Structures are given as C-alpha cells and as structure tokens.
Amino acid sequence: MLYLAEVQKQKGGLLSGGGKTELKLLACQRTDQNWSTVSEEVIAGEDASKLNDGALVLAELNPNRQVQRIQEAGRPLVNILQNFSRQLEKFKLKEDEIDQWKESLTFQAQELNRREMEMEARLEQLQNMEDELQQLEQEKQEVDTSRGEIERLHTEIERNRQELEGAWEHLRGEQRRLEERQADLQQGTVLDEEQSRVMSELLDRLSSRIPATETVTQHLQLAFELIEKQQAILIPHWEQLQQQKTGIAQQQEEVERLSQILSDRQNASQQGQNSLVQQTAQLQISTAELNTKQEYIQILKEQLRNQEDLYQQIHTLASTSGDVVFGRQVDVKALQKMPLEELQKIVQDLQHKLEIDASFVHDQEQELKYKQEAIEELQNKINQASDHEQINLQMELTDENDLYQMLNSSLVGQRRNMLQHQKFLKQHQNVLLRRQGHIVAEEKEGNQINLEPILLQIETQRQQYSQEIQKLERDLEQMRAGIELAQGMIDNQTHDLDEKHQELKAIEENLLSLRTATAQCCGRVNLYEEALQPIQDSLDGLRQKLQGIGESLDRFQETGAHQLQAIAQMRYTLQSLTSQPELLAS
C-alpha cells in the first residue's frame, strides 16, 4: 500500500557515524484519487537516508509494514494537485450545466403554465359565447313571437280600415242623399216624421260603425316597447362584438410584431452559425498545427533520449573499463597509509551506499518505464479521440511528458553518480585487496583514454535539444492557451446559439399559438356577427313596419274625426229640416 511520509533523521555521534533514519506516515492512498489521513506512525526507513530531513516521500509498504520502495513526493504531489484541480474544473462545468438545465426546465414549466392558463381562459370565453348564443336564440324566438303579434295587429288594423272605408263610402252616399234632400228642401221639400226617423237611425248606425283605435294604439305601443327591449339586449352584444374585433386587430399586430422579431432572430442566428463554422475551421487548423509541433517535439525528445543513452553508455564504459579516465580519482597513497580496518570500513560504507543508490535507480527506472507506458497510452487515446476531447488529453500528455523529463533528468545524474560510485568503490577494493595480499591486475595509465571532450560535446547537444524543446513547449503552451480560448469562445457561442434556438422555438410556438388563437377568434366573431345581424335586421324591419302601422293609424284616427264631424253636421242639418213648422204646414 502507498503512503505519504516525512523523512526524520536522528543525529548520531562522531564515532557512531550517521544517525538513524525513520519515516513518519502521514496519509494513505485508498484509490487512485482518494487519500485519507492515518494515525501518526513512525517506521524504519534506512533507504531514505540519502534524503534530507523533513523531505516528503511516497513509500510503498508490504503487509508487514516494511518499506519496499521509496520515491520523492514532489512531482507526484504536483500531479495529484493538478488532477484535483482538473476534477474541480470538471465538477464546476457539470454544476453550470445542471444550473442551465434547471433554468431551462423552469422556463418550460412557466411556459406550460402560461399556456394552460390561456387555454382555460379561452375555454371559459368560448363557454360564455355559447351561453350568449343560446340567449340570442331565445331572444330571436321572442322576436319571432313579437313579429307574429305585430302581424296579427296589422291584419286587425287592415280589417278595421276596410270596414272604416266601407262605412265611409256609405256615409258619403248618405251625405249625397242628404245634400239632395237639402236641395229639395231649398226647393220646398220638407221631411216628414218617418223620413226624419230613418235619417236619424242611419246617422246613429253610421256613428256606431266608426271603430275605436285605443286598443290598437295600446298594442302598437306595447310592440314598440318590446322591440326597444330587444334592442337594449342586443346593444351589449354589439359592443362586445366590437371589443372582440378590436382585440383581434391587436392580436394581428402582435402576430406581425412577433413575425418581424422571428425573422430578425433567424437572420442573427444564421450569422452566428456562419461565424461559428469559421471559428471551428480555424480551431481545427490550429489543432493540426499543434499536433505537428507535438510530433516534432516527440522527435526531439527521442533524439534527446538517444543522447542521454549515449551519455549513459559512455559513463558505463568509463566505469567498467580501466583504460578510460573519467570522474574523480582515488588517492592510492593515502589509502595505502590508512589503517586496514579503517579502509575496510570505508569499503563497506561505499558498498552499502552503492546498494542503496542501485536500488533507488532501479525504482526510478521502473517509475520511468511506467511513465513511458502512460504516455504511450495517452498518445493512443489522442489518436482515437475527438477534437474536443483531444485538448484535455493533450494537457494530460504534456503533464506526463514534463514528469517524464524531470524524472529522466534526475535519473541521468543518479546513474552517473552510481557509476562514479562503482568506479570509486572498485578503486578502494583494489587497494584493499592488494593490502590483503591478493593479486590485482594493474591499470595501465599510458593507454588510458580521456572521454571528457566527447561527454562535453554530447552535453552541449543535449542542452541545445533541451533549449529547443523548451522553446517549442513554450510555443505549445501559447498555442494551447489560444486553442483553449478559441474553444471557450466556440463553446460560449454554441451555448448562445442553443439558447437562441430555444428562444426561436419558443417564439415560433407563441406565434403559432397566437395565429391559431386569432383565427379562432375571427371564426367566433364571424359566427357571432352572423348570429346577431339577422336578429338586428329583423328588429329593424319590425320597427319600420310598426312605424308604418302607426302612421296609418294616425291617418285613420284623423279620418274618423272628420267622419264624426260630418255626421254631426248632418245631424244638425236634419234637425234644422225637421224643426221648420211653417214648411211642414205649407
């Protein structure tokens, strides 16, 4: 199990040598991204004796709580913090997406509630109009009934008028006879008593035949009142019809306004879509250029690794060949004068330190191998990933390459130091063996080769490669920053376009709903007007007929008054004829 630990060293005395090295456990790795604190525990850690006191390391322990492998925790901690930072960014993006979905769902719910309320209001309005239509049907039936009553009155008035005309013709005949009698009277003719009685009876019959018009006038007045009531009932319906026509006109204006807004928004959305396509194409070009530079960096890094391998091979040659001179040399004379026990102690210490270095270098080489496998795996993922996913994978690949380069650079120095320690140990061992009486092959100094110029040349090339790689990586960072900025702008524009598309969809739905509602209102208004107009025309026709009947009745009353006046004059004339005794005596 992997633990995060702190190196603690206990200082020893001058005679006892180096102090004891321990590891203080701080945290334990549960999963790849999960660490938890542990109770402070101190274990032996002699493998970390070469590290400074207080240094943080990652120690892998076996079930017996023994250290199997130790590595410095600096870069792994940086990697963990970078992963944690990326996870936080991903969580933040997910939270933003969730908030956007919540806002969208809230807007849709509000829109559905609004539409539901509009439908309920329209259903209620339609129900009210149906009730009004039923009421209009009832009023129409009442108007039809009134029309029948008026027709009956008109028939009765016409019959009375005919009777009155007949009586008037009879009266004119009697008047002509009376005038004839008056002429005869002037000629000396005198009515006798029988003739006078007959004339009086005729005048009484004539005056009794003049019909009374009070009843007809009352019925006519009632008919006028009924028509006015029906008109008063129709007036609010006409006003409501006018209000609905005004509302339809406003709805049509709103339809035209929304149509213009929809057209403008569609044009703006199309322009934004064209701009997004251009930016996406530019982003793809930048990504291709970035990939090209990354491949070139990989080639340079491969060359740098080759140089490092060559450098390492030369060091190995220097450490294994006696004909090669490199590194520090042993003071053989001082070792020959040194006490044998002290020399043995130095050889043992050098050998122990070399074992520690070799173990550490082996662990670092294993870690380097793991990093190389991780880089190859990320490269395969990049080759198979989409353009959007490649950016995040490229960032992870850059981090892994940085860790690899840092680990490899530190490992080169450690290998060199290990080889120098090997050669230094071999020189001490040769001196010790000769002092112990063993035969050791002597190194010939005349044939020794100095590899220092070659190593310097290799180191110069390595520095050139490193500088060029650093420059290219800085360019890559700038390109990545530009690509991230462009990707962010594209994401924002895509999000804005999605919102605009949703808004356009909502406007289209509102426009369709408003057009449907306007068409329905127009249909209801037309139906309403078609129902009201025949009733109004019928009332206007009845009013005109009643007005004609009233005029005829007024003429009829005037004619009856003239008839009564003529009958009175005839009575007066008859009385004057019957009241002349001298005429009767003669």
Side-chain angles (χ1 to χ4, degrees), residues 458-511:
I458 295 173
E459 183 66 25
T460 302
Q461 291 179 354
R462 288 175 58 211
Q463 290 178 0
Q464 291 176 355
Y465 283 138
S466 297
Q467 291 175 359
E468 188 172 1
I469 288 173
Q470 290 176 1
K471 180 178 179 301
L472 288 174
E473 286 181 345
R474 286 194 296 269
D475 295 340
L476 284 180
E477 289 296 330
Q478 293 178 358
M479 292 182 66
R480 287 193 187 98
I483 289 174
E484 289 179 0
L485 180 61
Q487 185 65 47
M489 294 177 63
I490 289 175
D491 293 339
N492 292 332
Q493 287 189 2
T494 302
H495 179 68
D496 293 340
L497 284 176
D498 291 339
E499 290 183 348
K500 288 181 180 179
H501 288 161
Q502 294 293 331
E503 187 177 357
L504 285 176
K505 186 177 180 181
I507 292 175
E508 289 177 351
E509 291 177 355
N510 291 335
L511 183 60

Side-chain angles (χ1 to χ4, degrees), residues 12 32 56 183 199 206 265 293 303 347 422 427 433 455 461 473 517 572 582:
D32 291 340
L56 294 177
M199 289 295 294
L206 184 61
R265 297 284 177 84
K293 286 193 175 183
Q303 293 293 331
V347 171
Q422 287 177 349
Q427 292 172 351
L433 290 173
L455 294 176
Q461 291 179 354
E473 286 181 345
Y572 178 75
E582 63 276 7

Side-chain angles (χ1 to χ4, degrees), residues 157 160-161 164 211-221 546-560:
I157 290 173
N160 293 331
R161 185 180 63 79
L164 184 60
T213 60
E214 288 79 4
T215 303
V216 177
T217 302
Q218 291 178 357
H219 285 294
L220 185 62
Q221 186 65 31
L546 288 177
Q547 289 175 355
I549 293 173
E551 293 174 357
S552 299
L553 185 61
D554 291 338
R555 289 194 299 270
F556 183 75
Q557 289 177 350
E558 183 178 0
T559 302

Side-chain angles (χ1 to χ4, degrees), residues 138-154:
Q138 294 177 359
E139 293 173 357
K140 184 178 180 181
Q141 293 178 0
E142 293 178 358
V143 170
D144 293 337
T145 304
S146 301
R147 180 183 298 173
E149 183 67 21
I150 290 171
E151 292 293 337
R152 187 183 63 78
L153 291 174
H154 185 270

Side-chain angles (χ1 to χ4, degrees), residues 170 200-210 567 571:
H170 182 73
S200 297
E201 289 179 357
L202 290 174
L203 290 176
D204 291 337
R205 289 176 58 189
L206 184 61
S207 60
S208 62
R209 294 297 299 271
I210 297 176
I567 291 172
R571 288 182 183 278

